[in-house]
């Protein structure tokens, strides 16, 4: 046979129905015709032919190749190293799992070093009997694992008044996705016995920031986790080691890290973070407090700001979509600044409250193009344009910016953050 | 209200219907009554109260806490450091994703250091036009991500003639599960044009071992990936950086790492690994060659060999199940050496050809107990006992041991590998 028949394409199929992809675009063998490669800051070359040499020994706890250089860069800078935000390099990651070493991080008092043998979790307030749990107590209980996104409500806050960040790491890197494992908070609360009249919990961190957030009891009894593991192993220090809350689909800072106290109470505490700290400012000067749910959002990670296409031809446009309301149902892509839209393929498995990877083949003709993605979730809600969002929220609300992002591909192949 | 009603339990629900779990077993607050904790080899204590101190700065590429010490230990030892196997500490991992730093590894010539800028993949043989691909060529193509287990056919090879390994890392640690991303091999083969009469491919590694494996063309055209990423970022050096094959559900060593050549051929090559290297020896002296598929298998990771229960009471038995035939349909657990069985809960999402996490609450009465798990896959095939397996295969077949594993909990709480 000269060629094989391609199967029907499904979201599950690893064999896209796009025969002759290489012929249409990628210059196969181009590498043979040219000896030059992009300049590198890495001084030492690897052995010319690794098959002629003995390799190195294995490491008990592995590290990445020295040729890989992606880092979480500071996207929120302050006067001290211990306050700020470092974002995930979404433009360099693939799939839906974020490497734990590159999970985004917002920090207000640095990263505490906590000995799990001395750490305690107190559950008290309007309960039948308060308890203090050791990490051994917590790890002994029935556990749950879920793949979930986590997004800071400040993600994309640079973008309200114009294209400020250069790369997708800067515009959208305060979202990440991990497999979290822990104990159901509902199980713990049922065990301590919630008193009549209780309607909220207040969770507090053990770091120097004294972070406290109020969470409705109904959510606490639903799907919240007291989590001690991330992607199969213990939480990383930056992500709450040895224990944190995971509040599926809700804004990042309510997922209290370095968790040390949970108090069951009658009313929300209106803590510093919930009042002067992080309300969403509306055009009339009012402040939305206690806003929790992350609404449907998506972003193209390739091609994205700071990247460069090597020339006209075939590419795969890809990116991430997510929603705090459950499942992503649809992602559409425009390559003409929103004039027309095509459905992207959603990569299986599509999991509730997790990043969903989308893909679409695209042939770049070498002319200027503006790429956008928009997401629709299972409630039917569709990600808005920035101008639609600004009509309701003005340009000072800082948080919860889920507007459609635009990337302009210039005629030289360079990609730029633009507002259209 | 004094307590809240628990919802119906489903595989998706994070709230197991086991009210009063803590009262039945875990000594809540026990930590308050005792000041002593297990001895540690870690010399320096963490700050007594992290909330009174400023934490450290964030790291651009994160690391785990110094209090976490799980490592992949050598489970196959040879005369030189560059030949052997280092296994995943399954007893210390949770969820289904294996941390990339702890993915098992079998190595025959050490870990090569390969510069992705100079690495090339040649596809040749019975094709319309041979091609040489750079890593940039490969990464530009349409991609696929899948969460898949990878098991070495030598996993559990210590266990044919008696309980030899002490821990689940030793008995079963040559299986791991990652989100792999790469290009469909079928897409590449369609592009180069497979000639009439071709029935196999031969894949070759770029390391010093010269590993070569033959793969039927039908599988190559089905779901094989030319993978360059693992858990969101580039492959780790030990796992084939910069590019490897991923052959879903098939034995580990066919997933050629450091992939440099794919040749399309008429017949299997019967390479060293396929003949004298790794056939499965049958009782009559015959050797099964070219055995590919991993059959249904499971193992309890807690409680498992080398662990210790602190005393009678409530525990969660948990472990992993997998099958190269598709989906895990059922996992049963026995706590009496196979006399009786109960269905475990399978943690959603249950993904084809991936590790599936199972869980079952268990109350240990303090008497000797023998724990076992057995898995049934979507074809209806059920994991065999060791004696049933030995009846067919004898005790010299070395590879593809998928027998039921037994862990004995002694009256002092210590857990041991036993054959019953």
């Amino acid at each position: 046979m000269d060629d094989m028949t391609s199967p029907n394409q499904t979201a599950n199929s690893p064999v896209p129905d796009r025969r002759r992809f290489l012929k249409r675009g990628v210059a196969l063998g181009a590498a043979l015709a040219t000896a030059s490669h992009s300049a590198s800051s890495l001084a030492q070359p690897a052995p010319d032919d690794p098959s002629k040499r003995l390799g190195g020994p294995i490491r008990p706890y592995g590290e990445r190749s020295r040729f890989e250089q992606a880092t979480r860069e500071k996207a929120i800078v302050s006067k001290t190293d211990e306050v700020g935000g470092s974002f995930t390099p979404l433009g360099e990651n693939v799939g839906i799992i974020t490497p734990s070493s590159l999970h985004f991080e917002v920090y207000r008092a640095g990263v505490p070093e906590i000995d799990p043998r001395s750490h305690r979790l107190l559950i008290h307030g309007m309960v039948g009997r308060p308890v203090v749990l050791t990490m051994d107590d917590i790890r002994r209980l029935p556990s749950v694992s879920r793949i979930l996104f986590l997004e800071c409500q400040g993600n994309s806050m640079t973008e309200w008044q114009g294209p400020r960040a250069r790369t997708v790491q800067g515009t959208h890197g305060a979202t990440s996705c991990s497999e979290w494992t822990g104990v159901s908070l509902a199980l713990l609360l049922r065990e301590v016995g919630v008193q009549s009249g209780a309607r909220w919990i207040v969770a507090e961190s053990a770091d120097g920031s004294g972070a406290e957030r109020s969470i409705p009891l109904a959510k606490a009894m639903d799907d919240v986790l007291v989590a001690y593991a991330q992607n199969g192993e213990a939480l990383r220090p930056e992500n709450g080691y040895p224990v944190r809350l995971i509040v599926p689909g809700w804004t990042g800072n309510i997922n209290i890290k370095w968790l040390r106290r949970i108090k069951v109470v009658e009313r929300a505490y209106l803590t510093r973070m919930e009042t002067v700290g992080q309300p969403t400012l509306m055009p009339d000067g009012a402040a939305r407090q206690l806003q929790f749910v992350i609404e449907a959002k998506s972003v193209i990670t390739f091609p994205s700001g700071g990247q460069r296409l090597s020339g006209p031809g075939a590419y795969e446009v890809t990116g991430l979509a997510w929603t705090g309301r459950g499942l992503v149902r649809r992602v559409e892509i425009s390559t003409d600044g929103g004039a027309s839209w095509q459905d992207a393929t959603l990569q299986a498995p599509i999991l509730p409250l997790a990043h969903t990877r989308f893909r679409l083949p695209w042939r770049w003709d070498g002319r200027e193009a503006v790429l956008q993605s928009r997401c629709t979730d299972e409630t039917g809600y569709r990600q808005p344009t920035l101008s639609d969002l600004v009509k309701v929220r003005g340009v000072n609300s800082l948080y919860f910016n889920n507007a459609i992002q635009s990337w302009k591909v210039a005629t030289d192949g360079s990609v730029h953050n633009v507002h259209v």
Side-chain angles (χ1 to χ4, degrees), chain A residues 4 23 59 78 81 108-109 213 268 323 349 362 367 371 398:
Chain A
M4 291 186 67
K23 278 187 184 165
R59 295 161 295 194
S78 69
D81 279 348
R108 296 176 180 83
R213 284 300 312 260
T323 169
W362 175 53
R367 287 181 291 189
L371 273 56
L398 281 177

Side-chain angles (χ1 to χ4, degrees), chain A residues 331-349:
Chain A
V331 175
E332 297 158 283
I333 291 176
S334 174
T335 58
D336 53 15
S340 65
W341 296 87
Q342 295 175 75
D343 278 308
T345 299
L346 305 184
Q347 172 79 59

Side-chain angles (χ1 to χ4, degrees), chain A residues 139-389:
Chain A
R139 280 192 286 250
R140 180 169 164 178
L141 293 168
S143 56
V144 179
S145 299
R146 288 188 73 182
I147 296 174
L148 298 164
F149 79 83
L150 188 59
E151 185 185 16
C152 175
Q153 67 194 59
N155 203 16
S156 312
M157 69 190 294
T158 53
E159 303 303 304
W160 284 104
Q161 303 194 40
R164 296 281 187 271
R166 196 177 68 88
T167 68
V168 67
Q169 180 171 15
T171 60
H172 289 76
T175 187
S176 304
C177 184
S178 300
E179 185 190 38
W180 303 100
T181 298
V183 176
S184 160
L185 178 56
L187 182 151
L188 294 171
L189 292 176
R190 283 203 304 271
E191 294 300 330
V192 298
V194 172
Q195 292 179 0
S196 172
R199 290 289 177 270
W200 291 76
I201 67 166
V202 177
E204 181 196 339
S205 74
D207 74 323
S209 77
E212 289 178 305
R213 284 300 312 260
S214 308
I215 304 173
L217 187 61
K219 179 70 172 176
M221 296 300 293
D222 179 14
D223 60 359
V224 175
L225 297 181
V226 174
Y228 49 81
Q230 174 183 13
N231 295 336
E233 61 188 341
L235 298 175
R236 291 298 178 84
E238 290 88 342
N239 272 287
Y241 183 84
V243 64
R244 71 174 301 169
L245 282 188
I246 289 292
V247 186
W250 286 25
T251 178
N253 69 33
I254 209 164
N255 296 256
I256 292 288
K257 294 185 289 194
W258 313 297
L259 180 69
R260 73 164 175 184
R261 286 199 275 249
I262 293 173
K263 189 171 185 180
V264 179
V265 297
E266 193 177 354
R267 294 187 188 85
Y269 264 27
L270 299 179
T271 64
R272 184 183 59 200
M273 290 170 77
E274 290 160 354
T275 51
V276 296
Q278 306 204 322
T280 303
L281 289 176
M282 302 296 284
D284 64 359
R288 279 189 188 168
Q289 293 177 327
L290 302 174
Q291 187 172 356
F292 299 123
V293 180
I294 298 292
E295 301 291 356
K297 189 167 174 178
S298 69
V299 69
I300 292 169
T301 56
F302 178 85
S304 63
Q307 297 173 341
R308 181 180 286 270
L309 305 186
S310 59
Y315 293 90
E316 181 179 71
V317 177
T318 185
L320 295 168
W322 60 98
T323 169
R325 303 288 181 188
L327 290 166
V328 169
R329 282 285 186 229
R330 182 182 194 188
V331 175
E332 297 158 283
I333 291 176
S334 174
T335 58
D336 53 15
S340 65
W341 296 87
Q342 295 175 75
D343 278 308
T345 299
L346 305 184
Q347 172 79 59
I350 302 165
L351 302 173
L353 309 176
H355 279 175
T356 298
R357 172 68 60 178
F358 61 83
R359 311 180 188 282
L360 185 73
W362 175 53
R363 183 173 176 77
W364 182 45
D365 60 11
R367 287 181 291 189
E368 190 174 294
V370 174
L371 273 56
Q372 300 179 331
S373 65
R374 69 181 181 195
C375 163
T376 303
D377 71 19
E378 65 175 302
T379 72
Y381 172 84
R382 194 171 75 191
Q383 184 181 5
T385 63
L386 181 60
S387 61
D388 283 346
L389 197 62

Side-chain angles (χ1 to χ4, degrees), chain A residues 18-226:
Chain A
R18 47 182 92 104
R19 296 165 59 158
R20 297 282 162 261
F21 189 94
L22 299 181
K23 278 187 184 165
R24 291 199 310 264
V26 176
L28 282 185
L32 287 180
T34 170
S36 71
H37 291 287
S38 59
S40 164
S41 60
L42 299 162
Q44 294 187 317
D48 281 348
D49 185 349
S51 71
K52 298 295 186 289
R53 295 168 192 248
L54 204 55
I58 200 169
R59 295 161 295 194
Y61 188 78
E63 295 163 23
R64 62 180 176 172
S65 163
R66 65 182 174 89
F67 295 103
E68 295 299 313
Q69 302 284 320
T71 54
R72 45 186 175 201
E73 290 170 7
K74 288 202 174 185
I76 304 173
V77 177
S78 69
K79 290 177 184 169
T80 63
D81 279 348
E82 294 82 4
V83 180
S86 293
F87 288 6
T88 295
L90 297 177
E92 298 172 83
N93 291 163
V94 295
I96 63 168
I97 298 292
T98 304
S100 299
S101 295
L102 294 172
H103 197 289
F104 88 88
E105 159 65 0
V106 178
Y107 38 101
R108 296 176 180 83
V111 181
E113 181 178 66
I114 299 179
D115 187 335
R117 296 162 299 185
S118 54
H119 188 72
R120 299 291 181 272
L121 172 61
L122 168 65
I123 305 178
H124 66 141
M126 298 173 70
V127 299
R129 57 193 179 112
V131 293
V132 174
L133 299 169
T134 67
M135 286 308 300
D136 283 347
D137 292 337
I138 293 169
R139 280 192 286 250
R140 180 169 164 178
L141 293 168
S143 56
V144 179
S145 299
R146 288 188 73 182
I147 296 174
L148 298 164
F149 79 83
L150 188 59
E151 185 185 16
C152 175
Q153 67 194 59
N155 203 16
S156 312
M157 69 190 294
T158 53
E159 303 303 304
W160 284 104
Q161 303 194 40
R164 296 281 187 271
R166 196 177 68 88
T167 68
V168 67
Q169 180 171 15
T171 60
H172 289 76
T175 187
S176 304
C177 184
S178 300
E179 185 190 38
W180 303 100
T181 298
V183 176
S184 160
L185 178 56
L187 182 151
L188 294 171
L189 292 176
R190 283 203 304 271
E191 294 300 330
V192 298
V194 172
Q195 292 179 0
S196 172
R199 290 289 177 270
W200 291 76
I201 67 166
V202 177
E204 181 196 339
S205 74
D207 74 323
S209 77
E212 289 178 305
R213 284 300 312 260
S214 308
I215 304 173
L217 187 61
K219 179 70 172 176
M221 296 300 293
D222 179 14
D223 60 359
V224 175
L225 297 181
V226 174

